[in-house]
Amino acid sequence: MSDVLPTDGGAPSTSIELVLPARERDLGGFTVRRTLPAIGRRMVGPFIFFDHLGPLSLPPGAGMDVRPHPHIGLATVTFLFDGEIVHRDSLGSLQTIHPGDVNWMLAGRGIVHSERSDPQSRARGVHAHGIQSWMALPAGDEESAPRFEHHDADALPRVRSAGAILDVIAGTAFGAQSPTAVLSPTLYVHARLEAGAALTVDAEHAERAVYVVEGIITCDGRPLGAGTMAILRPGVAAVVTAVASARLMLIGGAPLDGPRYIDWNFVSSDKERLRRAKLAWRDDDVTQFPKVPGDEQERIPVPAF
Protein backbone atom coordinates (compact mmCIF):
# COMPACT_ATOMS: atom_id res chain seq x y z
CA MET A 1 0.00 0.00 0.00
CA SER A 2 1.26 3.50 -0.81
CA ASP A 3 1.84 5.86 2.11
CA VAL A 4 0.65 8.82 0.02
CA LEU A 5 -3.06 9.45 0.48
CA PRO A 6 -5.42 12.22 -0.67
CA THR A 7 -5.25 15.35 1.46
CA ASP A 8 -8.58 16.89 0.51
CA GLY A 9 -12.18 15.85 0.91
CA GLY A 10 -13.69 13.90 3.76
CA ALA A 11 -15.86 14.93 6.68
CA PRO A 12 -15.12 18.14 8.61
CA SER A 13 -12.57 17.64 11.37
CA THR A 14 -12.87 18.83 14.95
CA SER A 15 -9.10 19.01 15.49
CA ILE A 16 -7.62 19.53 11.99
CA GLU A 17 -7.68 23.05 10.61
CA LEU A 18 -5.79 22.42 7.37
CA VAL A 19 -3.82 19.67 5.62
CA LEU A 20 -0.75 20.68 3.60
CA PRO A 21 0.80 18.33 1.04
CA ALA A 22 4.57 18.53 0.65
CA ARG A 23 5.89 19.91 -2.66
CA GLU A 24 9.05 18.58 -4.24
CA ARG A 25 11.95 21.01 -4.62
CA ASP A 26 15.24 20.33 -6.42
CA LEU A 27 18.17 21.63 -4.39
CA GLY A 28 20.78 20.71 -6.97
CA GLY A 29 21.57 17.01 -6.99
CA PHE A 30 18.89 15.96 -4.53
CA THR A 31 15.20 16.57 -3.93
CA VAL A 32 13.38 17.60 -0.77
CA ARG A 33 9.70 17.69 0.14
CA ARG A 34 8.69 21.12 1.47
CA THR A 35 5.57 21.91 3.47
CA LEU A 36 6.39 25.33 4.97
CA PRO A 37 5.98 28.02 3.91
CA ALA A 38 2.80 27.29 1.96
CA ILE A 39 0.17 29.46 0.34
CA GLY A 40 -2.37 28.31 2.90
CA ARG A 41 -0.05 28.68 5.89
CA ARG A 42 3.19 30.61 6.27
CA MET A 43 4.21 29.57 9.79
CA VAL A 44 3.37 27.24 12.66
CA GLY A 45 4.60 28.84 15.88
CA PRO A 46 8.18 29.94 15.06
CA PHE A 47 8.57 27.34 12.26
CA ILE A 48 8.76 29.20 8.95
CA PHE A 49 10.50 26.58 6.80
CA PHE A 50 10.17 22.79 6.88
CA ASP A 51 11.96 20.42 4.47
CA HIS A 52 11.90 16.63 4.43
CA LEU A 53 15.20 15.34 3.00
CA GLY A 54 15.27 11.84 1.54
CA PRO A 55 15.40 8.99 2.03
CA LEU A 56 18.40 9.69 -0.19
CA SER A 57 20.82 7.10 -1.58
CA LEU A 58 23.81 8.10 -3.70
CA PRO A 59 26.34 5.78 -5.37
CA PRO A 60 29.90 5.44 -4.04
CA GLY A 61 31.92 8.53 -4.88
CA ALA A 62 28.96 10.91 -4.83
CA GLY A 63 27.84 13.00 -1.89
CA MET A 64 25.79 15.89 -0.58
CA ASP A 65 27.44 19.26 -1.12
CA VAL A 66 25.50 22.25 0.13
CA ARG A 67 28.11 24.95 -0.47
CA PRO A 68 28.61 27.88 1.95
CA HIS A 69 25.57 30.14 2.08
CA PRO A 70 24.36 32.85 4.48
CA HIS A 71 21.43 33.28 6.88
CA ILE A 72 20.00 36.06 9.04
CA GLY A 73 17.08 36.29 11.43
CA LEU A 74 16.48 32.60 11.99
CA ALA A 75 17.68 29.42 13.67
CA THR A 76 18.26 26.28 11.62
CA VAL A 77 17.52 22.87 13.10
CA THR A 78 18.85 19.67 11.50
CA PHE A 79 17.56 16.28 12.68
CA LEU A 80 18.49 13.02 10.94
CA PHE A 81 16.86 9.60 10.93
CA ASP A 82 19.65 8.07 8.82
CA GLY A 83 23.09 9.09 7.56
CA GLU A 84 25.62 11.74 8.53
CA ILE A 85 26.17 15.38 7.53
CA VAL A 86 29.25 17.49 8.29
CA HIS A 87 28.36 21.02 9.38
CA ARG A 88 30.86 23.89 9.16
CA ASP A 89 30.12 27.54 9.84
CA SER A 90 31.74 30.96 9.97
CA LEU A 91 32.07 30.74 13.77
CA GLY A 92 34.57 27.93 13.22
CA SER A 93 32.16 25.16 14.21
CA LEU A 94 32.88 21.73 12.76
CA GLN A 95 30.33 19.11 13.74
CA THR A 96 29.18 15.84 12.21
CA ILE A 97 25.54 15.19 12.95
CA HIS A 98 24.32 11.61 13.40
CA PRO A 99 20.79 10.20 13.64
CA GLY A 100 18.96 11.49 16.70
CA ASP A 101 21.38 14.38 17.33
CA VAL A 102 20.40 18.06 17.12
CA ASN A 103 22.37 20.77 15.33
CA TRP A 104 20.94 24.17 16.32
CA MET A 105 22.44 27.17 14.53
CA LEU A 106 21.26 30.65 15.47
CA ALA A 107 21.97 33.00 12.56
CA GLY A 108 21.01 36.24 14.31
CA ARG A 109 22.63 39.15 12.49
CA GLY A 110 24.53 36.88 10.12
CA ILE A 111 26.20 33.50 9.73
CA VAL A 112 27.51 31.35 6.87
CA HIS A 113 27.52 27.56 6.83
CA SER A 114 27.96 24.52 4.61
CA GLU A 115 26.67 20.96 4.83
CA ARG A 116 28.55 18.15 3.13
CA SER A 117 29.04 14.39 3.17
CA ASP A 118 32.27 13.21 4.76
CA PRO A 119 34.89 11.24 2.76
CA GLN A 120 34.04 7.93 4.43
CA SER A 121 30.35 8.26 3.55
CA ARG A 122 31.20 9.18 -0.03
CA ALA A 123 33.42 6.11 -0.38
CA ARG A 124 30.71 3.66 0.67
CA GLY A 125 27.71 5.53 -0.81
CA VAL A 126 25.78 8.28 0.94
CA HIS A 127 22.46 7.65 2.67
CA ALA A 128 20.55 10.50 4.26
CA HIS A 129 17.07 10.97 5.67
CA GLY A 130 15.94 13.76 7.93
CA ILE A 131 14.25 17.10 8.52
CA GLN A 132 15.74 20.53 8.06
CA SER A 133 13.73 23.43 9.41
CA TRP A 134 14.03 27.11 10.17
CA MET A 135 12.62 28.92 13.17
CA ALA A 136 12.07 32.65 12.87
CA LEU A 137 13.39 34.70 15.79
CA PRO A 138 11.54 37.15 18.03
CA ALA A 139 12.06 40.74 16.85
CA GLY A 140 14.39 41.51 19.75
CA ASP A 141 16.68 38.63 18.80
CA GLU A 142 16.87 39.07 15.02
CA GLU A 143 20.17 40.97 15.28
CA SER A 144 21.65 38.90 18.09
CA ALA A 145 25.12 37.39 17.92
CA PRO A 146 25.21 34.13 15.94
CA ARG A 147 25.89 30.90 17.79
CA PHE A 148 25.92 27.15 17.27
CA GLU A 149 25.13 24.29 19.61
CA HIS A 150 25.05 20.53 19.24
CA HIS A 151 23.23 17.98 21.39
CA ASP A 152 23.88 14.26 21.14
CA ALA A 153 20.84 12.00 20.87
CA ASP A 154 21.23 10.72 24.43
CA ALA A 155 21.05 14.31 25.77
CA LEU A 156 17.47 14.76 24.53
CA PRO A 157 14.56 13.89 26.82
CA ARG A 158 12.78 10.68 25.80
CA VAL A 159 9.19 10.03 26.84
CA ARG A 160 7.57 6.61 26.45
CA SER A 161 3.86 5.92 26.38
CA ALA A 162 1.82 2.95 25.19
CA GLY A 163 3.29 2.05 21.80
CA ALA A 164 5.07 5.40 21.38
CA ILE A 165 8.61 6.74 21.76
CA LEU A 166 8.84 10.55 21.89
CA ASP A 167 12.10 12.50 21.63
CA VAL A 168 11.82 16.19 22.56
CA ILE A 169 14.09 17.95 20.06
CA ALA A 170 13.39 21.54 21.12
CA GLY A 171 11.10 23.31 23.55
CA THR A 172 8.65 21.54 25.82
CA ALA A 173 6.27 18.62 25.38
CA PHE A 174 4.80 15.71 27.32
CA GLY A 175 6.17 17.09 30.59
CA ALA A 176 9.78 17.26 29.32
CA GLN A 177 12.08 20.09 28.23
CA SER A 178 14.85 19.89 25.63
CA PRO A 179 18.27 21.45 26.31
CA THR A 180 18.10 23.23 22.92
CA ALA A 181 18.22 26.98 23.62
CA VAL A 182 15.06 28.17 21.88
CA LEU A 183 14.08 31.85 22.11
CA SER A 184 10.30 31.49 22.15
CA PRO A 185 7.84 28.82 23.33
CA THR A 186 8.44 25.86 21.00
CA LEU A 187 7.12 22.38 20.29
CA TYR A 188 9.38 20.02 18.35
CA VAL A 189 9.09 16.27 18.89
CA HIS A 190 10.19 13.17 16.98
CA ALA A 191 7.52 10.50 17.52
CA ARG A 192 7.62 6.81 16.62
CA LEU A 193 4.36 4.91 16.91
CA GLU A 194 3.72 1.19 16.75
CA ALA A 195 0.78 -0.05 14.67
CA GLY A 196 -2.44 0.72 16.54
CA ALA A 197 -0.83 3.13 19.00
CA ALA A 198 -2.70 6.34 19.79
CA LEU A 199 -1.00 9.60 20.76
CA THR A 200 -2.73 12.64 22.22
CA VAL A 201 -1.27 15.98 21.14
CA ASP A 202 -2.43 18.30 23.90
CA ALA A 203 -3.15 22.01 23.60
CA GLU A 204 -0.14 23.23 25.64
CA HIS A 205 1.14 25.20 22.64
CA ALA A 206 -0.94 27.80 20.82
CA GLU A 207 -0.03 26.52 17.34
CA ARG A 208 0.67 22.88 16.46
CA ALA A 209 1.07 20.64 13.44
CA VAL A 210 1.73 16.95 12.80
CA TYR A 211 3.96 15.94 9.88
CA VAL A 212 3.92 12.32 8.71
CA VAL A 213 7.44 11.19 7.82
CA GLU A 214 6.67 7.50 7.32
CA GLY A 215 3.58 5.32 7.58
CA ILE A 216 -0.10 6.17 7.79
CA ILE A 217 -2.04 7.70 10.67
CA THR A 218 -5.59 8.81 11.27
CA CYS A 219 -6.76 11.95 13.02
CA ASP A 220 -10.50 12.39 13.62
CA GLY A 221 -10.86 9.31 11.42
CA ARG A 222 -9.11 11.05 8.54
CA PRO A 223 -6.18 9.15 6.97
CA LEU A 224 -2.88 11.03 6.55
CA GLY A 225 0.07 9.55 4.68
CA ALA A 226 3.76 10.33 4.39
CA GLY A 227 4.55 13.82 3.15
CA THR A 228 1.49 15.51 4.64
CA MET A 229 1.25 18.06 7.45
CA ALA A 230 -1.94 18.48 9.46
CA ILE A 231 -2.33 21.92 11.05
CA LEU A 232 -4.26 21.48 14.29
CA ARG A 233 -6.97 23.80 15.57
CA PRO A 234 -5.88 26.03 18.46
CA GLY A 235 -6.99 24.96 21.90
CA VAL A 236 -8.20 21.51 20.80
CA ALA A 237 -6.41 18.31 21.80
CA ALA A 238 -5.93 15.91 18.90
CA VAL A 239 -5.58 12.14 18.94
CA VAL A 240 -3.55 10.54 16.17
CA THR A 241 -3.55 6.77 15.68
CA ALA A 242 -1.02 4.75 13.69
CA VAL A 243 -2.69 2.54 11.08
CA ALA A 244 0.69 0.87 10.64
CA SER A 245 3.96 1.77 12.34
CA ALA A 246 4.61 5.47 11.75
CA ARG A 247 7.20 8.19 12.25
CA LEU A 248 5.92 11.72 12.95
CA MET A 249 7.24 15.18 13.71
CA LEU A 250 5.21 17.43 16.01
CA ILE A 251 5.96 21.12 15.54
CA GLY A 252 4.60 24.42 16.82
CA GLY A 253 4.78 26.94 19.61
CA ALA A 254 3.69 30.50 20.28
CA PRO A 255 3.05 32.81 17.31
CA LEU A 256 5.73 35.43 16.87
CA ASP A 257 5.37 39.16 17.43
CA GLY A 258 4.31 40.15 13.93
CA PRO A 259 4.81 38.93 10.36
CA ARG A 260 8.10 37.57 9.03
CA TYR A 261 9.36 37.80 5.47
CA ILE A 262 11.59 35.39 3.56
CA ASP A 263 13.94 36.31 0.74
CA TRP A 264 16.24 33.50 -0.37
CA ASN A 265 18.03 32.29 2.80
CA PHE A 266 17.08 35.29 4.89
CA VAL A 267 14.23 35.90 7.35
CA SER A 268 13.33 39.25 8.89
CA SER A 269 10.48 41.40 10.13
CA ASP A 270 11.99 44.20 7.97
CA LYS A 271 11.97 43.84 4.17
CA GLU A 272 14.75 46.43 3.82
CA ARG A 273 16.96 44.28 6.05
CA LEU A 274 16.52 41.41 3.60
CA ARG A 275 17.67 43.62 0.73
CA ARG A 276 20.79 44.71 2.63
CA ALA A 277 21.66 41.12 3.42
CA LYS A 278 21.45 40.13 -0.24
CA LEU A 279 23.69 43.04 -1.20
CA ALA A 280 26.23 42.09 1.47
CA TRP A 281 26.44 38.50 0.19
CA ARG A 282 26.60 39.62 -3.44
CA ASP A 283 29.45 41.97 -2.60
CA ASP A 284 31.30 39.35 -0.52
CA ASP A 285 31.18 41.59 2.57
CA VAL A 286 33.12 39.49 5.08
CA THR A 287 32.28 41.87 7.94
CA GLN A 288 28.62 40.85 7.52
CA PHE A 289 29.23 37.28 6.34
CA PRO A 290 32.66 35.87 7.28
CA LYS A 291 34.22 32.92 5.47
CA VAL A 292 33.72 29.34 6.67
CA PRO A 293 37.06 28.00 7.97
CA GLY A 294 37.98 24.88 6.02
CA ASP A 295 35.40 25.61 3.29
CA GLU A 296 36.48 28.99 1.90
CA GLN A 297 36.74 28.18 -1.81
CA GLU A 298 33.08 27.84 -2.80
CA ARG A 299 29.86 29.73 -2.17
CA ILE A 300 26.30 29.71 -3.42
CA PRO A 301 25.70 32.92 -5.40
CA VAL A 302 22.82 35.18 -4.49
CA PRO A 303 19.85 34.92 -6.89
CA ALA A 304 19.18 37.85 -9.19
CA PHE A 305 17.43 40.74 -7.47
Side-chain angles (χ1 to χ4, degrees), residues 76-187:
T76 67
V77 191
T78 302
F79 188 85
L80 295 179
F81 314 121
D82 184 30
E84 300 172 347
I85 297 175
V86 177
H87 164 96
R88 295 178 187 267
D89 64 41
S90 51
L91 299 175
S93 310
L94 171 58
Q95 179 66 57
T96 299
I97 184 170
H98 301 94
D101 297 349
V102 172
N103 272 7
W104 168 272
M105 185 184 75
L106 183 88
R109 60 178 175 259
I111 200 168
V112 183
H113 76 132
S114 65
E115 294 171 297
R116 300 183 185 267
S117 301
D118 61 52
Q120 294 78 18
S121 296
R122 291 174 194 269
R124 64 177 178 259
V126 167
H127 299 275
H129 187 202
I131 302 293
Q132 294 191 303
S133 54
W134 298 353
M135 294 185 195
L137 304 180
D141 295 299
E142 288 185 313
E143 297 297 324
S144 60
R147 66 175 188 263
F148 175 81
E149 61 187 72
H150 171 86
H151 300 285
D152 290 337
D154 59 9
L156 300 181
R158 172 165 288 180
V159 179
R160 296 179 184 269
S161 62
I165 299 174
L166 312 168
D167 297 314
V168 183
I169 299 170
T172 58
F174 304 103
Q177 181 171 353
S178 166
T180 307
V182 297
L183 298 178
S184 63
T186 300
L187 165 69

Side-chain angles (χ1 to χ4, degrees), residues 204-278:
E204 172 189 353
H205 293 279
E207 297 183 354
R208 300 155 299 146
V210 178
Y211 179 78
V212 185
V213 178
E214 298 170 337
I216 300 171
I217 64 170
T218 62
C219 184
D220 289 347
R222 182 174 184 174
L224 300 166
T228 55
M229 178 178 285
I231 310 296
L232 302 179
R233 296 187 187 282
V236 178
V239 178
V240 298
T241 303
V243 176
S245 60
R247 186 191 301 270
L248 315 175
M249 305 301 278
L250 312 180
I251 69 169
L256 288 187
D257 46 1
R260 294 297 184 273
Y261 307 102
I262 296 180
D263 193 341
W264 191 42
N265 293 318
F266 306 129
V267 171
S268 180
S269 57
D270 179 1
K271 291 183 178 179
E272 171 60 21
R273 180 69 176 93
L274 299 175
R275 189 188 70 84
R276 295 199 307 271
K278 290 180 74 175

Side-chain angles (χ1 to χ4, degrees), residues 275-285 288-289 299:
R275 189 188 70 84
R276 295 199 307 271
K278 290 180 74 175
L279 286 172
W281 184 251
R282 184 199 67 182
D283 297 340
D284 199 15
D285 181 353
Q288 167 74 68
F289 295 119
R299 68 201 302 264

